[in-house]
Every structure is written in C-alpha cells, then in structure tokens.
Amino acid sequence: MKKPYWQSYWYRVRVRLDDEQWAGWQGLGGPEFSQVSNVALRDSSLEAWATAFLAEARSELDDLRGELLIECFDESTPGAETEPVYSAQVTLGRP
C-alpha cells in the first residue's frame, strides 16, 4: 500500500532522572501523546524536528540530571508493543 503524501506524527517525551525516587522512564505531565505540528514538518524532516525539540528541552531542563527521550509514532494512540518510527535521547545536566 502506498503511503499518503502527508504523514501525521505523534510524540511523547519521557525522562529518567538520576534520583532514587524516580524509577525508570517517566512522562513529563500533560497528555501522553501530542501531535507534531504540521507547520513544523512543512520545511523539515521528523528527525530534524525531534533533534531541535530535544535541544530546546535540554536547555530548559538544565537543572535536572538524567536522560531525556523522545519517541515519535505514526498513529495517535500506539499500543504498548508499537515501535516508534523515530526515537532519540539526550543526557540532561552538566557532564
């Protein structure tokens, strides 16, 4: 089956902190999945958008220590076994 010309994507952001009170990956609040803005994808790829998103989030969360993960999906409510179409993570905090 041929993919449509325009593809919508949804993402979630999770954090794993270097703190004993936080076990494993946790959501950052708000809805679990948010739609990637169609305007953002008009001039760049999903990968470029996610990289820029992580860079901005990393600078806003510079007081935290741990890791930040973004997972992108091509459906709005992926199941537990659904693999992301793209994912990336960055380290939070100063080295």
Side-chain angles (χ1 to χ4, degrees):
M1 185 164 125
K2 191 174 180 179
K3 285 251 186 193
Y5 174 72
W6 185 257
Q7 175 69 53
S8 294
Y9 293 100
W10 289 262
Y11 69 97
R12 70 177 169 191
V13 180
R14 304 175 90 189
V15 65
R16 181 170 54 193
L17 298 178
D18 294 341
D19 184 335
E20 292 179 10
Q21 294 178 350
W22 287 64
W25 291 105
Q26 304 288 323
L28 289 177
E32 184 174 6
F33 295 96
S34 299
Q35 187 171 7
V36 177
S37 165
N38 290 335
V39 173
L41 295 177
R42 182 174 44 206
D43 297 325
S44 67
S45 67
L46 178 65
E47 293 83 1
W49 171 83
T51 299
F53 183 96
L54 283 176
E56 183 177 331
R58 185 179 187 193
S59 69
E60 290 179 16
L61 301 172
D62 65 350
D63 58 326
L64 299 177
R65 304 292 177 263
E67 296 175 284
L68 190 64
L69 169 70
I70 189 167
E71 296 175 306
C72 303
F73 299 87
D74 58 4
E75 53 189 87
S76 60
T77 53
E81 301 298 319
T82 304
E83 292 291 323
V85 294
Y86 180 77
S87 67
Q89 67 186 64
V90 293
T91 302
L92 293 173
R94 295 175 198 93

